Amino acid sequence: MAHRILSKRAKVRALLARTGLTAVRWHTLGRGLYCFNYHRIGDPEACAFDRGVYSCSTAHFREHVAMLKERFEVVNLARLLEEGGRPPRKPLALITFDDGYADNYEVAFPTLRELGVTAAFFIPTAFIGGSQLPWWDEIAWSLRNATIERIRLEDAEGDFDLGAEGIERSIEAVLERVKLRTRIPMDEQVREIRARCRPAGSMRDAGARLFMDREQLREMRRAGMDIGSHTHSHRILSHLNGDTQREELEQSKTILEGLLDEPITSVAYPVGRSSSYTPETCQIAESLGYRVGFNFICQSNRLPLSKPFDIFRFGIHRDIDSHELKSHTCFQWI
Ligand SMILES: [Zn+2]
């Protein structure tokens, strides 16, 4: 899932996007690896679940890909793994998607094919075909369909307004709040919020086509897209003991290998902050046969990769246009 807060840094980058500095820097980028990570693509207004997970509109996604294709050699995972010590002629770009939402297949995949580039899709295998919904979507759905007007959470100041005026702000605030309540298991928090909201309708029906299914994943792979693991159930790995981390990484790998009939060699750590995985996570991943691991920290990577289980990625949020994406890439240290 995505970060929600538009930081002061992002505002400065948005400002820089309008200056000539970005254009100069864009043409003198170092020849490293630049990974760009998306979640959902499309119009969040139509979404009954968590609208904060949208990276950008379909039009902006197309603009981004066209721009990246012009400036970088857009690579697939095989090309990245074979790159080894050989310095590339152009900076390399890898486009990635986390969480496996159906719009990745319906919107991003046709755009990528049309523009002739590939991307890597990291899938939490428990979500394939919508058999299980993630906590952020379930909570957002419960709040959006609540039959009560306000909700109060333990430890939070004041109530959250669930009326038409305040619902979007409340969903964002409640999701931030539950992430901070680490002493209460997430399953329990989801159940508690749902019970208190007494939502109308069936979430299961609404979420039936929220995630890609097995055949869609197979079709994308046949068309040259990469499929990687995003663990099985998207739990934060650093919160789990070694055995459970191993289960999450192994189960996901086994399911995807059964589905695609080939080795799965890449993983993206859920949430992907430096606090979301540990050196032990990377060791376990390597021992299971993964060859690369991706985080969600905004930096470029030097080549050859010195830490293949700590590959940085730029997160795309808040429907940024291609100018803002340029400054996001150019001024990563701001
Ligand atoms: Zn994720």
mmCIF file of all heavy atoms in Angstrom, residues 24-36 65 67-76 79-80 83 86-95 117 299-305 314 329-330 332:
data_model
loop_
_atom_site.group_PDB
_atom_site.id
_atom_site.type_symbol
_atom_site.label_atom_id
_atom_site.label_comp_id
_atom_site.label_asym_id
_atom_site.label_seq_id
_atom_site.Cartn_x
_atom_site.Cartn_y
_atom_site.Cartn_z
ATOM 1 N N VAL A 24 17.774 20.156 -16.791
ATOM 2 C CA VAL A 24 19.228 19.977 -16.899
ATOM 3 C C VAL A 24 19.651 18.693 -16.202
ATOM 4 O O VAL A 24 20.379 17.867 -16.744
ATOM 5 C CB VAL A 24 19.966 21.204 -16.270
ATOM 6 C CG1 VAL A 24 21.463 20.941 -16.186
ATOM 7 C CG2 VAL A 24 19.665 22.459 -17.062
ATOM 8 N N ARG A 25 19.155 18.531 -14.982
ATOM 9 C CA ARG A 25 19.542 17.360 -14.191
ATOM 10 C C ARG A 25 19.048 16.050 -14.855
ATOM 11 O O ARG A 25 19.743 15.044 -14.849
ATOM 12 C CB ARG A 25 18.950 17.515 -12.786
ATOM 13 C CG ARG A 25 19.095 16.341 -11.914
ATOM 14 C CD ARG A 25 20.207 16.496 -10.885
ATOM 15 N NE ARG A 25 20.383 15.233 -10.174
ATOM 16 C CZ ARG A 25 21.482 14.501 -10.217
ATOM 17 N NH1 ARG A 25 22.529 14.914 -10.884
ATOM 18 N NH2 ARG A 25 21.553 13.366 -9.586
ATOM 19 N N TRP A 26 17.864 16.093 -15.421
ATOM 20 C CA TRP A 26 17.260 14.917 -16.064
ATOM 21 C C TRP A 26 18.186 14.370 -17.152
ATOM 22 O O TRP A 26 18.323 13.164 -17.326
ATOM 23 C CB TRP A 26 15.904 15.326 -16.637
ATOM 24 C CG TRP A 26 15.128 14.261 -17.354
ATOM 25 C CD1 TRP A 26 14.880 14.189 -18.684
ATOM 26 C CD2 TRP A 26 14.471 13.128 -16.769
ATOM 27 N NE1 TRP A 26 14.103 13.095 -18.975
ATOM 28 C CE2 TRP A 26 13.833 12.421 -17.802
ATOM 29 C CE3 TRP A 26 14.357 12.645 -15.452
ATOM 30 C CZ2 TRP A 26 13.104 11.264 -17.585
ATOM 31 C CZ3 TRP A 26 13.623 11.485 -15.230
ATOM 32 C CH2 TRP A 26 13.018 10.816 -16.286
ATOM 33 N N HIS A 27 18.838 15.270 -17.882
ATOM 34 C CA HIS A 27 19.702 14.830 -18.977
ATOM 35 C C HIS A 27 21.091 14.419 -18.523
ATOM 36 O O HIS A 27 21.888 13.944 -19.322
ATOM 37 C CB HIS A 27 19.759 15.918 -20.057
ATOM 38 C CG HIS A 27 18.451 16.043 -20.774
ATOM 39 N ND1 HIS A 27 17.993 15.077 -21.645
ATOM 40 C CD2 HIS A 27 17.473 16.973 -20.697
ATOM 41 C CE1 HIS A 27 16.799 15.415 -22.086
ATOM 42 N NE2 HIS A 27 16.452 16.556 -21.525
ATOM 43 N N THR A 28 21.394 14.628 -17.221
ATOM 44 C CA THR A 28 22.726 14.241 -16.735
ATOM 45 C C THR A 28 22.629 13.221 -15.596
ATOM 46 O O THR A 28 23.539 13.105 -14.789
ATOM 47 C CB THR A 28 23.496 15.493 -16.234
ATOM 48 O OG1 THR A 28 22.690 16.147 -15.239
ATOM 49 C CG2 THR A 28 23.817 16.453 -17.354
ATOM 50 N N LEU A 29 21.527 12.490 -15.558
ATOM 51 C CA LEU A 29 21.359 11.458 -14.516
ATOM 52 C C LEU A 29 22.484 10.431 -14.606
ATOM 53 O O LEU A 29 22.922 10.079 -15.705
ATOM 54 C CB LEU A 29 20.034 10.711 -14.721
ATOM 55 C CG LEU A 29 18.744 11.393 -14.303
ATOM 56 C CD1 LEU A 29 17.566 10.515 -14.708
ATOM 57 C CD2 LEU A 29 18.719 11.670 -12.805
ATOM 58 N N GLY A 30 22.942 9.939 -13.438
ATOM 59 C CA GLY A 30 23.966 8.893 -13.436
ATOM 60 C C GLY A 30 23.441 7.613 -14.048
ATOM 61 O O GLY A 30 22.235 7.368 -14.083
ATOM 62 N N ARG A 31 24.390 6.767 -14.494
ATOM 63 C CA ARG A 31 23.971 5.538 -15.189
ATOM 64 C C ARG A 31 23.704 4.387 -14.222
ATOM 65 O O ARG A 31 24.364 3.356 -14.274
ATOM 66 C CB ARG A 31 25.057 5.117 -16.169
ATOM 67 C CG ARG A 31 25.091 5.984 -17.393
ATOM 68 C CD ARG A 31 26.162 5.503 -18.325
ATOM 69 N NE ARG A 31 26.432 6.504 -19.336
ATOM 70 C CZ ARG A 31 27.441 6.440 -20.177
ATOM 71 N NH1 ARG A 31 28.277 5.434 -20.110
ATOM 72 N NH2 ARG A 31 27.628 7.381 -21.073
ATOM 73 N N GLY A 32 22.766 4.599 -13.329
ATOM 74 C CA GLY A 32 22.422 3.541 -12.370
ATOM 75 C C GLY A 32 21.148 2.836 -12.771
ATOM 76 O O GLY A 32 20.748 2.847 -13.939
ATOM 77 N N LEU A 33 20.517 2.243 -11.771
ATOM 78 C CA LEU A 33 19.213 1.602 -11.953
ATOM 79 C C LEU A 33 18.175 2.433 -11.217
ATOM 80 O O LEU A 33 18.335 2.718 -10.031
ATOM 81 C CB LEU A 33 19.244 0.189 -11.374
ATOM 82 C CG LEU A 33 17.877 -0.499 -11.221
ATOM 83 C CD1 LEU A 33 17.268 -0.825 -12.588
ATOM 84 C CD2 LEU A 33 18.015 -1.769 -10.365
ATOM 85 N N TYR A 34 17.125 2.815 -11.930
ATOM 86 C CA TYR A 34 16.038 3.614 -11.349
ATOM 87 C C TYR A 34 14.769 2.769 -11.409
ATOM 88 O O TYR A 34 14.308 2.428 -12.502
ATOM 89 C CB TYR A 34 15.843 4.911 -12.144
ATOM 90 C CG TYR A 34 17.059 5.819 -12.116
ATOM 91 C CD1 TYR A 34 18.208 5.506 -12.847
ATOM 92 C CD2 TYR A 34 17.068 6.978 -11.347
ATOM 93 C CE1 TYR A 34 19.331 6.314 -12.801
ATOM 94 C CE2 TYR A 34 18.182 7.807 -11.304
ATOM 95 C CZ TYR A 34 19.310 7.463 -12.038
ATOM 96 O OH TYR A 34 20.421 8.268 -11.996
ATOM 97 N N CYS A 35 14.253 2.429 -10.225
ATOM 98 C CA CYS A 35 13.025 1.617 -10.192
ATOM 99 C C CYS A 35 11.860 2.517 -9.800
ATOM 100 O O CYS A 35 11.979 3.346 -8.889
ATOM 101 C CB CYS A 35 13.144 0.499 -9.156
ATOM 102 S SG CYS A 35 14.522 -0.610 -9.457
ATOM 103 N N PHE A 36 10.744 2.354 -10.480
ATOM 104 C CA PHE A 36 9.561 3.190 -10.241
ATOM 105 C C PHE A 36 8.417 2.279 -9.836
ATOM 106 O O PHE A 36 8.076 1.347 -10.574
ATOM 107 C CB PHE A 36 9.205 3.968 -11.512
ATOM 108 C CG PHE A 36 10.316 4.892 -11.940
ATOM 109 C CD1 PHE A 36 11.291 4.472 -12.843
ATOM 110 C CD2 PHE A 36 10.425 6.168 -11.398
ATOM 111 C CE1 PHE A 36 12.342 5.305 -13.211
ATOM 112 C CE2 PHE A 36 11.464 7.010 -11.762
ATOM 113 C CZ PHE A 36 12.431 6.587 -12.658
ATOM 114 N N VAL A 65 5.282 6.398 -18.679
ATOM 115 C CA VAL A 65 5.966 5.301 -19.386
ATOM 116 C C VAL A 65 6.639 5.829 -20.653
ATOM 117 O O VAL A 65 7.790 5.478 -20.954
ATOM 118 C CB VAL A 65 4.994 4.144 -19.706
ATOM 119 C CG1 VAL A 65 5.690 3.066 -20.515
ATOM 120 C CG2 VAL A 65 4.429 3.541 -18.426
ATOM 121 N N MET A 67 7.737 8.781 -21.193
ATOM 122 C CA MET A 67 8.897 9.594 -20.804
ATOM 123 C C MET A 67 10.064 8.714 -20.340
ATOM 124 O O MET A 67 11.217 8.942 -20.703
ATOM 125 C CB MET A 67 8.469 10.529 -19.673
ATOM 126 C CG MET A 67 9.547 11.470 -19.221
ATOM 127 S SD MET A 67 8.958 12.464 -17.839
ATOM 128 C CE MET A 67 9.127 11.303 -16.491
ATOM 129 N N LEU A 68 9.750 7.672 -19.570
ATOM 130 C CA LEU A 68 10.811 6.780 -19.083
ATOM 131 C C LEU A 68 11.466 6.047 -20.249
ATOM 132 O O LEU A 68 12.686 5.866 -20.296
ATOM 133 C CB LEU A 68 10.240 5.767 -18.080
ATOM 134 C CG LEU A 68 9.691 6.351 -16.767
ATOM 135 C CD1 LEU A 68 9.083 5.254 -15.906
ATOM 136 C CD2 LEU A 68 10.782 7.080 -15.995
ATOM 137 N N LYS A 69 10.648 5.662 -21.210
ATOM 138 C CA LYS A 69 11.146 4.924 -22.370
ATOM 139 C C LYS A 69 12.129 5.774 -23.179
ATOM 140 O O LYS A 69 13.099 5.271 -23.742
ATOM 141 C CB LYS A 69 9.941 4.539 -23.234
ATOM 142 C CG LYS A 69 10.230 3.512 -24.267
ATOM 143 C CD LYS A 69 8.999 3.203 -25.068
ATOM 144 C CE LYS A 69 9.418 2.544 -26.367
ATOM 145 N NZ LYS A 69 8.297 2.342 -27.272
ATOM 146 N N GLU A 70 11.866 7.058 -23.191
ATOM 147 C CA GLU A 70 12.728 7.970 -23.954
ATOM 148 C C GLU A 70 14.085 8.162 -23.271
ATOM 149 O O GLU A 70 15.118 8.214 -23.911
ATOM 150 C CB GLU A 70 12.000 9.305 -24.044
ATOM 151 C CG GLU A 70 12.480 10.208 -25.131
ATOM 152 C CD GLU A 70 11.627 11.469 -25.143
ATOM 153 O OE1 GLU A 70 10.482 11.373 -25.619
ATOM 154 O OE2 GLU A 70 12.104 12.501 -24.656
ATOM 155 N N ARG A 71 14.072 8.241 -21.934
ATOM 156 C CA ARG A 71 15.298 8.613 -21.207
ATOM 157 C C ARG A 71 16.132 7.399 -20.782
ATOM 158 O O ARG A 71 17.346 7.482 -20.643
ATOM 159 C CB ARG A 71 14.905 9.433 -19.963
ATOM 160 C CG ARG A 71 16.085 9.912 -19.105
ATOM 161 C CD ARG A 71 16.939 10.886 -19.876
ATOM 162 N NE ARG A 71 18.167 11.245 -19.199
ATOM 163 C CZ ARG A 71 19.327 10.631 -19.355
ATOM 164 N NH1 ARG A 71 19.417 9.581 -20.154
ATOM 165 N NH2 ARG A 71 20.407 11.043 -18.719
ATOM 166 N N PHE A 72 15.462 6.266 -20.520
ATOM 167 C CA PHE A 72 16.133 5.091 -19.946
ATOM 168 C C PHE A 72 16.069 3.904 -20.895
ATOM 169 O O PHE A 72 15.255 3.878 -21.819
ATOM 170 C CB PHE A 72 15.431 4.649 -18.651
ATOM 171 C CG PHE A 72 15.445 5.661 -17.546
ATOM 172 C CD1 PHE A 72 14.416 6.581 -17.422
ATOM 173 C CD2 PHE A 72 16.470 5.687 -16.616
ATOM 174 C CE1 PHE A 72 14.405 7.511 -16.385
ATOM 175 C CE2 PHE A 72 16.471 6.611 -15.580
ATOM 176 C CZ PHE A 72 15.436 7.529 -15.465
ATOM 177 N N GLU A 73 16.891 2.905 -20.594
ATOM 178 C CA GLU A 73 16.632 1.578 -21.152
ATOM 179 C C GLU A 73 15.718 0.884 -20.127
ATOM 180 O O GLU A 73 16.149 0.618 -18.995
ATOM 181 C CB GLU A 73 17.937 0.780 -21.317
ATOM 182 C CG GLU A 73 17.677 -0.618 -21.859
ATOM 183 C CD GLU A 73 18.916 -1.516 -21.839
ATOM 184 O OE1 GLU A 73 20.048 -1.013 -21.680
ATOM 185 O OE2 GLU A 73 18.718 -2.739 -21.955
ATOM 186 N N VAL A 74 14.464 0.681 -20.519
ATOM 187 C CA VAL A 74 13.519 0.049 -19.587
ATOM 188 C C VAL A 74 13.746 -1.457 -19.655
ATOM 189 O O VAL A 74 13.604 -2.066 -20.716
ATOM 190 C CB VAL A 74 12.053 0.408 -19.930
ATOM 191 C CG1 VAL A 74 11.096 -0.240 -18.923
ATOM 192 C CG2 VAL A 74 11.859 1.916 -19.924
ATOM 193 N N VAL A 75 14.139 -2.041 -18.511
ATOM 194 C CA VAL A 75 14.581 -3.445 -18.522
ATOM 195 C C VAL A 75 13.569 -4.353 -17.830
ATOM 196 O O VAL A 75 12.729 -3.900 -17.053
ATOM 197 C CB VAL A 75 15.946 -3.609 -17.806
ATOM 198 C CG1 VAL A 75 17.044 -2.916 -18.588
ATOM 199 C CG2 VAL A 75 15.901 -3.108 -16.369
ATOM 200 N N ASN A 76 13.695 -5.651 -18.127
ATOM 201 C CA ASN A 76 12.962 -6.649 -17.350
ATOM 202 C C ASN A 76 13.926 -7.265 -16.333
ATOM 203 O O ASN A 76 15.112 -6.920 -16.294
ATOM 204 C CB ASN A 76 12.308 -7.692 -18.254
ATOM 205 C CG ASN A 76 13.333 -8.451 -19.081
ATOM 206 O OD1 ASN A 76 14.532 -8.406 -18.804
ATOM 207 N ND2 ASN A 76 12.867 -9.136 -20.105
ATOM 208 N N ARG A 79 17.079 -9.147 -17.736
ATOM 209 C CA ARG A 79 18.097 -8.208 -18.221
ATOM 210 C C ARG A 79 18.849 -7.586 -17.036
ATOM 211 O O ARG A 79 20.060 -7.412 -17.080
ATOM 212 C CB ARG A 79 17.394 -7.116 -19.051
ATOM 213 C CG ARG A 79 18.239 -5.942 -19.425
ATOM 214 C CD ARG A 79 19.107 -6.229 -20.641
ATOM 215 N NE ARG A 79 19.812 -5.039 -21.042
ATOM 216 C CZ ARG A 79 20.999 -4.664 -20.561
ATOM 217 N NH1 ARG A 79 21.610 -5.411 -19.653
ATOM 218 N NH2 ARG A 79 21.575 -3.555 -20.979
ATOM 219 N N LEU A 80 18.118 -7.309 -15.969
ATOM 220 C CA LEU A 80 18.745 -6.733 -14.780
ATOM 221 C C LEU A 80 19.716 -7.733 -14.157
ATOM 222 O O LEU A 80 20.835 -7.393 -13.782
ATOM 223 C CB LEU A 80 17.661 -6.362 -13.765
ATOM 224 C CG LEU A 80 18.145 -5.779 -12.446
ATOM 225 C CD1 LEU A 80 18.875 -4.459 -12.689
ATOM 226 C CD2 LEU A 80 16.964 -5.566 -11.512
ATOM 227 N N GLU A 83 22.869 -8.151 -16.124
ATOM 228 C CA GLU A 83 23.658 -6.929 -16.302
ATOM 229 C C GLU A 83 25.035 -7.068 -15.660
ATOM 230 O O GLU A 83 26.035 -6.647 -16.196
ATOM 231 C CB GLU A 83 22.901 -5.726 -15.717
ATOM 232 C CG GLU A 83 23.577 -4.385 -15.882
ATOM 233 C CD GLU A 83 23.856 -4.055 -17.343
ATOM 234 O OE1 GLU A 83 23.003 -4.297 -18.211
ATOM 235 O OE2 GLU A 83 24.974 -3.574 -17.593
ATOM 236 N N ARG A 86 28.767 -5.266 -16.148
ATOM 237 C CA ARG A 86 28.876 -4.487 -17.386
ATOM 238 C C ARG A 86 28.125 -3.160 -17.255
ATOM 239 O O ARG A 86 26.934 -3.136 -16.995
ATOM 240 C CB ARG A 86 28.283 -5.305 -18.538
ATOM 241 C CG ARG A 86 28.398 -4.665 -19.885
ATOM 242 C CD ARG A 86 28.221 -5.718 -20.956
ATOM 243 N NE ARG A 86 26.932 -6.408 -20.883
ATOM 244 C CZ ARG A 86 25.828 -5.973 -21.480
ATOM 245 N NH1 ARG A 86 25.844 -4.860 -22.178
ATOM 246 N NH2 ARG A 86 24.715 -6.654 -21.398
ATOM 247 N N PRO A 87 28.828 -2.016 -17.396
ATOM 248 C CA PRO A 87 28.113 -0.743 -17.257
ATOM 249 C C PRO A 87 27.163 -0.511 -18.425
ATOM 250 O O PRO A 87 27.531 -0.733 -19.580
ATOM 251 C CB PRO A 87 29.230 0.314 -17.250
ATOM 252 C CG PRO A 87 30.446 -0.367 -17.762
ATOM 253 C CD PRO A 87 30.243 -1.850 -17.695
ATOM 254 N N PRO A 88 25.921 -0.099 -18.153
ATOM 255 C CA PRO A 88 24.964 0.116 -19.242
ATOM 256 C C PRO A 88 25.272 1.399 -20.004
ATOM 257 O O PRO A 88 25.906 2.305 -19.481
ATOM 258 C CB PRO A 88 23.633 0.240 -18.513
ATOM 259 C CG PRO A 88 23.987 0.706 -17.136
ATOM 260 C CD PRO A 88 25.343 0.173 -16.831
ATOM 261 N N ARG A 89 24.802 1.457 -21.248
ATOM 262 C CA ARG A 89 25.020 2.660 -22.063
ATOM 263 C C ARG A 89 24.116 3.799 -21.605
ATOM 264 O O ARG A 89 24.480 4.942 -21.644
ATOM 265 C CB ARG A 89 24.746 2.351 -23.539
ATOM 266 C CG ARG A 89 25.843 1.542 -24.201
ATOM 267 C CD ARG A 89 25.636 1.493 -25.708
ATOM 268 N NE ARG A 89 24.285 1.042 -26.051
ATOM 269 C CZ ARG A 89 23.914 -0.233 -26.095
ATOM 270 N NH1 ARG A 89 24.792 -1.163 -25.853
ATOM 271 N NH2 ARG A 89 22.681 -0.571 -26.414
ATOM 272 N N LYS A 90 22.911 3.460 -21.192
ATOM 273 C CA LYS A 90 21.955 4.451 -20.692
ATOM 274 C C LYS A 90 21.588 4.061 -19.254
ATOM 275 O O LYS A 90 21.742 2.897 -18.887
ATOM 276 C CB LYS A 90 20.661 4.388 -21.540
ATOM 277 C CG LYS A 90 20.736 5.085 -22.870
ATOM 278 C CD LYS A 90 19.514 4.710 -23.696
ATOM 279 C CE LYS A 90 18.459 5.786 -23.638
ATOM 280 N NZ LYS A 90 17.310 5.476 -24.530
ATOM 281 N N PRO A 91 21.054 5.007 -18.465
ATOM 282 C CA PRO A 91 20.537 4.570 -17.166
ATOM 283 C C PRO A 91 19.438 3.527 -17.383
ATOM 284 O O PRO A 91 18.716 3.589 -18.384
ATOM 285 C CB PRO A 91 19.939 5.844 -16.563
ATOM 286 C CG PRO A 91 20.372 6.980 -17.405
ATOM 287 C CD PRO A 91 20.825 6.435 -18.729
ATOM 288 N N LEU A 92 19.338 2.572 -16.460
ATOM 289 C CA LEU A 92 18.304 1.543 -16.578
ATOM 290 C C LEU A 92 17.085 1.933 -15.748
ATOM 291 O O LEU A 92 17.225 2.522 -14.672
ATOM 292 C CB LEU A 92 18.815 0.190 -16.059
ATOM 293 C CG LEU A 92 20.084 -0.381 -16.680
ATOM 294 C CD1 LEU A 92 20.323 -1.802 -16.134
ATOM 295 C CD2 LEU A 92 19.999 -0.420 -18.206
ATOM 296 N N ALA A 93 15.904 1.603 -16.237
ATOM 297 C CA ALA A 93 14.675 1.799 -15.462
ATOM 298 C C ALA A 93 13.950 0.475 -15.359
ATOM 299 O O ALA A 93 13.915 -0.296 -16.324
ATOM 300 C CB ALA A 93 13.773 2.835 -16.122
ATOM 301 N N LEU A 94 13.398 0.219 -14.184
ATOM 302 C CA LEU A 94 12.535 -0.944 -13.987
ATOM 303 C C LEU A 94 11.208 -0.421 -13.435
ATOM 304 O O LEU A 94 11.198 0.280 -12.418
ATOM 305 C CB LEU A 94 13.178 -1.916 -12.997
ATOM 306 C CG LEU A 94 12.376 -3.181 -12.683
ATOM 307 C CD1 LEU A 94 12.352 -4.129 -13.881
ATOM 308 C CD2 LEU A 94 12.976 -3.908 -11.477
ATOM 309 N N ILE A 95 10.128 -0.743 -14.134
ATOM 310 C CA ILE A 95 8.792 -0.326 -13.683
ATOM 311 C C ILE A 95 8.207 -1.477 -12.877
ATOM 312 O O ILE A 95 8.225 -2.628 -13.330
ATOM 313 C CB ILE A 95 7.888 -0.007 -14.894
ATOM 314 C CG1 ILE A 95 8.490 1.163 -15.698
ATOM 315 C CG2 ILE A 95 6.460 0.329 -14.448
ATOM 316 C CD1 ILE A 95 7.825 1.386 -17.058
ATOM 317 N N VAL A 117 6.963 -1.879 -23.590
ATOM 318 C CA VAL A 117 7.868 -2.064 -22.446
ATOM 319 C C VAL A 117 7.269 -3.084 -21.471
ATOM 320 O O VAL A 117 6.075 -3.375 -21.508
ATOM 321 C CB VAL A 117 8.159 -0.738 -21.690
ATOM 322 C CG1 VAL A 117 8.898 0.247 -22.554
ATOM 323 C CG2 VAL A 117 6.891 -0.124 -21.145
ATOM 324 N N GLN A 299 15.336 6.094 -3.790
ATOM 325 C CA GLN A 299 16.721 6.369 -4.193
ATOM 326 C C GLN A 299 16.976 5.608 -5.483
ATOM 327 O O GLN A 299 16.308 4.607 -5.755
ATOM 328 C CB GLN A 299 17.710 5.824 -3.158
ATOM 329 C CG GLN A 299 17.859 6.646 -1.911
ATOM 330 C CD GLN A 299 18.918 6.048 -0.988
ATOM 331 O OE1 GLN A 299 19.958 5.564 -1.434
ATOM 332 N NE2 GLN A 299 18.647 6.073 0.294
ATOM 333 N N SER A 300 18.002 6.058 -6.214
ATOM 334 C CA SER A 300 18.447 5.248 -7.343
ATOM 335 C C SER A 300 19.467 4.233 -6.833
ATOM 336 O O SER A 300 19.905 4.306 -5.678
ATOM 337 C CB SER A 300 19.051 6.140 -8.428
ATOM 338 O OG SER A 300 20.119 6.882 -7.894
ATOM 339 N N ASN A 301 19.837 3.281 -7.688
ATOM 340 C CA ASN A 301 20.775 2.220 -7.303
ATOM 341 C C ASN A 301 22.000 2.275 -8.194
ATOM 342 O O ASN A 301 21.875 2.482 -9.398
ATOM 343 C CB ASN A 301 20.116 0.845 -7.501
ATOM 344 C CG ASN A 301 18.837 0.699 -6.709
ATOM 345 O OD1 ASN A 301 18.858 0.350 -5.546
ATOM 346 N ND2 ASN A 301 17.709 1.004 -7.343
ATOM 347 N N ARG A 302 23.166 2.071 -7.582
ATOM 348 C CA ARG A 302 24.378 1.986 -8.402
ATOM 349 C C ARG A 302 24.486 0.595 -9.011
ATOM 350 O O ARG A 302 24.050 -0.378 -8.416
ATOM 351 C CB ARG A 302 25.602 2.226 -7.525
ATOM 352 C CG ARG A 302 25.694 3.659 -7.090
ATOM 353 C CD ARG A 302 27.103 3.959 -6.631
ATOM 354 N NE ARG A 302 27.191 5.359 -6.277
ATOM 355 C CZ ARG A 302 28.100 5.860 -5.498
ATOM 356 N NH1 ARG A 302 29.038 5.087 -4.974
ATOM 357 N NH2 ARG A 302 28.118 7.149 -5.234
ATOM 358 N N LEU A 303 25.119 0.546 -10.169
ATOM 359 C CA LEU A 303 25.374 -0.747 -10.813
ATOM 360 C C LEU A 303 26.876 -0.983 -10.891
ATOM 361 O O LEU A 303 27.618 -0.028 -11.097
ATOM 362 C CB LEU A 303 24.777 -0.752 -12.220
ATOM 363 C CG LEU A 303 23.248 -0.762 -12.294
ATOM 364 C CD1 LEU A 303 22.778 -0.588 -13.732
ATOM 365 C CD2 LEU A 303 22.680 -2.054 -11.709
ATOM 366 N N PRO A 304 27.366 -2.201 -10.740
ATOM 367 C CA PRO A 304 26.580 -3.388 -10.404
ATOM 368 C C PRO A 304 25.978 -3.283 -8.997
ATOM 369 O O PRO A 304 26.531 -2.597 -8.139
ATOM 370 C CB PRO A 304 27.603 -4.520 -10.493
ATOM 371 C CG PRO A 304 28.926 -3.873 -10.285
ATOM 372 C CD PRO A 304 28.813 -2.495 -10.834
ATOM 373 N N LEU A 305 24.875 -3.983 -8.784
ATOM 374 C CA LEU A 305 24.174 -3.914 -7.499
ATOM 375 C C LEU A 305 25.034 -4.513 -6.395
ATOM 376 O O LEU A 305 25.423 -5.673 -6.470
ATOM 377 C CB LEU A 305 22.869 -4.712 -7.587
ATOM 378 C CG LEU A 305 21.810 -4.189 -8.553
ATOM 379 C CD1 LEU A 305 20.717 -5.240 -8.754
ATOM 380 C CD2 LEU A 305 21.219 -2.874 -8.049
ATOM 381 N N PHE A 314 11.507 4.281 -6.354
ATOM 382 C CA PHE A 314 10.768 5.532 -6.205
ATOM 383 C C PHE A 314 9.275 5.201 -6.172
ATOM 384 O O PHE A 314 8.771 4.568 -7.095
ATOM 385 C CB PHE A 314 11.012 6.463 -7.405
ATOM 386 C CG PHE A 314 12.425 6.960 -7.512
ATOM 387 C CD1 PHE A 314 13.363 6.299 -8.285
ATOM 388 C CD2 PHE A 314 12.815 8.094 -6.814
ATOM 389 C CE1 PHE A 314 14.661 6.759 -8.374
ATOM 390 C CE2 PHE A 314 14.117 8.562 -6.906
ATOM 391 C CZ PHE A 314 15.041 7.890 -7.682
ATOM 392 N N THR A 329 12.610 12.062 -9.509
ATOM 393 C CA THR A 329 13.771 11.245 -9.861
ATOM 394 C C THR A 329 15.073 12.021 -9.707
ATOM 395 O O THR A 329 16.078 11.505 -9.222
ATOM 396 C CB THR A 329 13.635 10.757 -11.325
ATOM 397 O OG1 THR A 329 12.327 10.253 -11.527
ATOM 398 C CG2 THR A 329 14.659 9.696 -11.656
ATOM 399 N N CYS A 330 15.059 13.270 -10.136
ATOM 400 C CA CYS A 330 16.291 14.073 -10.182
ATOM 401 C C CYS A 330 16.739 14.552 -8.798
ATOM 402 O O CYS A 330 17.923 14.648 -8.528
ATOM 403 C CB CYS A 330 16.088 15.298 -11.061
ATOM 404 S SG CYS A 330 15.856 14.911 -12.785
ATOM 405 N N GLN A 332 16.152 13.376 -5.571
ATOM 406 C CA GLN A 332 15.719 12.381 -4.600
ATOM 407 C C GLN A 332 16.178 12.697 -3.189
ATOM 408 O O GLN A 332 15.622 12.184 -2.238
ATOM 409 C CB GLN A 332 16.211 11.015 -5.052
ATOM 410 C CG GLN A 332 17.684 10.997 -5.363
ATOM 411 C CD GLN A 332 18.082 9.811 -6.221
ATOM 412 O OE1 GLN A 332 18.293 8.740 -5.720
ATOM 413 N NE2 GLN A 332 18.184 9.999 -7.516
#
